[in-house]
Amino acid sequence: MDGLLHPRAVAVVGASERSAMAGRLTRYLSGFDGPVYPVNPNHRRVHGLPCYPSLLELPGPVDLVLVLVPAARVLSAVEDAGRAGASFAVVLSSGFAEVGAEGRALQEQLVEVAGRYGMRVVGPNCQGLLYRPTGLAATFTAAADGVRQPDSGIAYVGQSGALGGSFLGKARDRGIGLTAWISVGNQADLTTTDAAELLVADPGVRVLACYLEELPDGARWQRLTEQTAAAGKQLVVLRSGRSAAGERAVASHTGALVRAGTAFDLLTRESGAIQVDDLDELLDTAVALTGESRPRGHRIGVITSSGGAGGLAADQAEAAGLSLPELDRAAQDVLAPLIPAFGSTANPVDVTAQVIDDAGQFGAVCEAVAESGEVDAVLVVLTTIGGAAAVEVAEAILRAAERRSTAPFAVAWLYSHEEIAEAGSMLRRNAIPVLDSTTAALRLIARLVPQESRRAEPAAPRGLSRFLDRPSLTEADGARLLDALQIARPRGRIVDPADVETVAREIGEHVVLKVQSPDLAHKSDVGGVLVGVRAEQAGRAAQDMLDAVTAGAPQARIDGVLVQEVLPPGVELLVGVQGGKHGYPPVVTVGMGGTTTELYSDVASALGPLDSGQAVALLRRLRGWPLLDGFRGRPRCDVAAAAAAIASLSQAAAELGSALTEVEINPLVVHATGAVAADLLVTTEPRP
């Protein structure tokens, strides 16, 4: 892959001074430390460089070929690049898969042509790349214009050229010089993950910012996150859109509640990488991660010259999952001589405008709060301080941050960008993020707190695949699976309609009747469930139920009627597991169950498999947890039994792997003693 970032020479096919894009492409390459060969049969010179009629007439070898010609001419250009011995072609031209079937076919031909020569392709429909160590600026984006800032150790890779340009421009405006920047476009050959692995291996890269529009292969993504962690580097991810890799059928409650890409999000979080929600957060978080430390916990100290701004920060901290502990007497005694009596030594620490005007005194306050040992991070909230005064304040913060404190700093500067530009750049170059709102600053600090997440070891195989003998298992079909997993279920039997009353009398005075059909995921929606039916009336009730179901779902195949005992009341949970796909582990979801599951959307998800302790932790994340834990004097539920069922189901999914699409118990009824699977849905992947 050296030919991409460390090419011996670069050629530009379509070089010209007449086109703004082509002109920038050649002009930006003036800083490259090797030969640059413009290629265009219509020009003799481009930007002072000799221009060659074709790639086959260059005076020396070339590793990297940039292609910016109409789509119809790209294949011949790539063919010539291969014949010239290039190892990489960066196709900046558009008109490929992004425009439809015809363009997709052309894109496939492009990859095939390159493959014949062992050449890799970046793009098409991309904006190229930048690599500071070799002075390579192989792009046409106007965001590459301007003064080069000091190297930050931050690299970027992403699919969208436009957003990539925005990221580059924002970095430039904030005084942040990117070490590397790669736009992969349509990913016809080189994927975002490929480029990310290349950048993570680069010794000059400390933080990788990654923008994704399609979900990567799970195994490849896990390998990347492991390589990043092993190298002691940091990964920040911004993801948009949805792809087939993350789509799930929404026939079940779980499928409706768990959004596409959840497995990716959970795997990313488990690795220690940080996910963000917008481009500004991607850049601000990357800046913060270039520092030596991250917050160890959720306690923050707020320092401000504005009581109002400090109050806002205190109000917003809880929503961000952060706390503002009141500083103890020892810390306040250190602060007291530094702050006027009309200020505050508690938390937020209000230094007043008087202290802000004395940079040395303000720096001493910052240092005292950071070294108090009572906070995990320090947020400095500043208002109308600009120009030279802003620079002095920034220098004071930097001096405090350079002490031995392990509490990192962030700044919320609520003032004109122009007035604080120099001060902000100074702070950012030293790994202190500067944001324009307290909300954004608090959210950033919260994201930086390391998240603990782990999976249990898979259990020994139990031959569970023998139970997946149909594409969709009804509750009656799945009884053997529940028994093998040691998950309790109601007593009951599936029978023909004529035998319903006889079996009902054997089971009890009252029974539950359920239509069994592999075509009905939600039986109750079509009148396929009756609860509390008297045994002597069960035959007639079953026939009426079947008539209603047949009328409402005439195409559904009916296997019979399941006659079950009536369970005593309990807390109803949803337990769903989506099988592992595309290299991702299974996703375990729990929630408050029953027919109102989707109404309340009270769910929590984790990667499987889980052990019982992890299952309890997952349940504790639900808003409805108090119902399990003895809400308002009610008896505590048998959480251990519920957790054992969740863990067992997750282990089953881990064993079954890609053969399982989804398994769902809804509800799992949890009593004071025991937990019973009152309904079951299992769907499998079609067998080849």
Side-chain angles (χ1 to χ4, degrees):
M1 300 280 271
D2 278 353
L4 184 62
L5 301 181
H6 299 269
R8 291 171 295 175
V10 180
V12 181
V13 179
S16 173
E17 295 181 28
R18 298 173 184 172
S19 159
M21 288 193 299
R24 285 195 296 267
L25 188 60
T26 310
R27 178 164 56 86
Y28 291 163
L29 284 166
S30 62
F32 176 57
D33 59 13
V36 175
Y37 302 127
V39 176
N40 190 326
N42 300 316
H43 299 285
R44 291 182 178 275
R45 300 186 74 81
V46 173
H47 287 302
L49 297 173
C51 190
Y52 301 89
S54 86
L55 287 167
L56 303 179
E57 299 179 54
L58 301 182
V62 63
D63 292 323
L64 179 62
V65 174
L66 312 179
V67 180
L68 186 58
V69 296
R73 292 167 46 198
V74 166
L75 291 186
S76 61
V78 171
E79 179 89 39
D80 285 351
R83 293 170 63 189
S87 53
F88 274 91
V90 177
V91 180
L92 303 122
S93 312
S94 58
F96 292 86
E98 78 278 6
V99 299
E102 187 175 340
R104 189 173 297 108
L106 185 62
Q107 182 168 301
E108 291 170 357
Q109 293 177 55
L110 164 64
V111 175
E112 191 274 327
V113 169
R116 290 205 299 263
Y117 296 94
M119 183 170 56
R120 300 299 304 271
V121 174
V122 180
N125 187 36
C126 72
Q127 292 196 11
L129 67 148
L130 303 170
Y131 186 61
R132 182 180 296 269
T134 56
L136 180 64
T139 180
F140 58 74
T141 176
D145 268 328
V147 179
R148 291 176 176 265
Q149 298 84 5
D151 194 339
S152 65
I154 297 172
Y156 167 89
V157 61
Q159 291 175 247
S160 167
L163 282 178
S166 295
F167 185 88
L168 182 61
K170 285 176 177 290
R172 179 194 63 195
D173 291 347
R174 299 180 192 190
I176 301 164
L178 300 183
T179 302
W181 178 90
I182 301 178
S183 164
V184 298
N186 290 3
Q187 303 186 105
D189 176 24
L190 191 87
T191 66
T192 306
T193 309
D194 292 330
E197 288 180 341
L198 176 65
L199 294 174
V200 164
D202 190 282
V205 173
R206 289 186 287 161
V207 179
L208 177 61
C210 188
Y211 170 70
L212 298 172
E213 292 178 347
E214 299 175 11
L215 293 174
D217 174 78
R220 288 286 313 279
W221 185 254
Q222 182 164 353
R223 186 175 75 184
L224 170 66
T225 61
E226 290 171 349
Q227 290 172 342
T228 304
K233 300 183 179 184
Q234 303 289 342
L235 178 63
V236 192
V237 183
L238 172 62
R239 182 175 73 86
S240 71
R242 297 293 182 263
S243 75
E247 290 176 357
R248 303 289 184 185
V250 294
S252 68
H253 290 286
T254 307
L257 290 165
V258 179
R259 60 187 174 82
T262 295
F264 170 86
D265 296 341
L266 292 170
L267 185 60
T268 300
R269 184 185 309 157
E270 179 183 82
S271 73
I274 297 176
Q275 277 194 273
V276 297
D277 295 327
D278 61 41
L279 209 60
D280 282 308
E281 283 190 326
L282 185 66
L283 181 56
D284 291 330
T285 306
V287 168
L289 290 172
T290 60
E292 297 298 324
S293 63
R294 290 171 62 173
R296 294 168 297 182
H298 295 83
R299 305 170 304 164
I300 63 167
V302 174
I303 303 171
T304 181
S305 63
S306 164
L312 284 176
D315 291 342
Q316 296 160 354
E318 184 176 353
L322 302 170
S323 64
L324 273 72
E326 183 173 348
L327 301 180
D328 66 16
R329 177 49 54 193
Q332 293 194 45
D333 286 345
V334 173
L335 290 169
L338 301 171
I339 298 174
F342 53 89
S344 172
T345 59
N347 190 13
V349 176
D350 183 0
V351 299
T352 74
Q354 179 177 316
V355 174
I356 284 288
D357 290 337
D358 184 332
Q361 195 169 345
F362 178 67
V365 171
C366 291
E367 186 177 332
V369 173
E371 294 186 346
S372 69
E374 296 187 82
V375 300
D376 302 303
V378 178
L379 172 61
V380 180
V381 183
L382 301 170
T383 52
T384 55
I385 305 163
V391 172
E392 291 182 3
V393 168
E395 290 173 340
I397 295 171
L398 283 177
R399 285 193 296 271
E402 287 169 358
R403 301 291 183 180
R404 297 179 180 179
S405 167
T406 57
F409 280 74
V411 177
W413 213 319
L414 317 181
Y415 199 39
S416 159
H417 288 191
E418 183 178 351
E419 286 290 330
I420 66 169
E422 183 180 352
S425 294
M426 180 189 303
L427 290 168
R428 293 185 182 104
R429 287 196 299 270
N430 288 276
I432 297 178
V434 179
L435 302 100
D436 57 10
S437 76
T438 53
T439 301
L442 290 164
R443 187 167 57 236
L444 171 62
I445 293 171
R447 290 190 191 283
L448 294 175
V449 179
Q451 303 290 317
E452 290 190 10
S453 179
R454 63 182 180 85
R455 280 173 274 161
E457 290 297 322
R462 291 168 286 179
L464 298 178
S465 60
R466 69 185 186 275
F467 299 119
L468 305 187
D469 53 0
R470 296 172 64 171
S472 180
L473 275 63
T474 63
E475 185 178 354
D477 295 329
R480 294 182 303 150
L481 176 61
L482 289 175
D483 292 344
L485 299 178
Q486 297 183 319
I487 297 175
R489 58 185 176 86
R491 290 185 302 114
R493 287 167 50 191
I494 183 172
V495 296
D496 293 328
D499 298 325
V500 167
E501 185 174 332
T502 301
V503 173
R505 290 178 181 273
E506 295 173 0
I507 289 178
E509 183 178 348
H510 293 84
V511 294
V512 177
L513 304 179
K514 300 178 182 178
V515 169
Q516 296 296 282
S517 169
D519 303 320
L520 298 175
H522 300 308
K523 299 181 290 293
S524 58
D525 290 352
V526 291
V529 178
L530 297 176
V531 179
V533 178
R534 293 184 63 84
E536 62 270 21
Q537 299 171 351
R540 170 53 60 187
Q543 190 58 58
D544 291 344
M545 178 178 67
L546 289 169
D547 291 343
V549 170
T550 302
Q555 304 303 319
R557 189 190 80 196
I558 306 299
D559 290 346
V561 176
L562 180 62
V563 185
Q564 284 183 334
E565 66 175 326
V566 176
L567 293 175
V571 174
E572 297 186 354
L573 296 177
L574 160 78
V575 182
V577 185
Q578 294 174 329
K581 296 289 185 298
H582 308 287
Y584 290 98
V587 174
V588 183
T589 299
V590 299
M592 302 313 295
T595 58
T596 59
T597 290
E598 293 174 36
L599 177 63
Y600 296 109
S601 298
D602 183 12
V603 295
S605 298
L607 292 178
L610 303 177
D611 59 29
S612 291
Q614 293 161 340
V616 172
L618 195 60
L619 289 171
R620 285 182 175 273
R621 288 166 50 190
L622 299 175
R623 295 190 304 274
W625 163 257
L627 297 175
L628 293 166
D629 197 37
F631 181 65
R632 291 198 172 184
R634 298 178 186 177
R636 283 189 172 87
C637 292
D638 192 344
V639 172
I646 295 167
S648 184
L649 209 62
S650 76
Q651 289 285 358
E655 177 180 336
L656 293 169
S658 60
L660 177 71
T661 300
E662 185 175 34
V663 56
E664 177 182 279
I665 297 173
N666 187 27
L668 178 72
V669 184
V670 191
H671 302 113
T673 301
V676 183
D679 203 353
L680 176 72
L681 171 70
V682 181
T683 54
T684 66
E685 287 297 299
R687 296 185 179 182

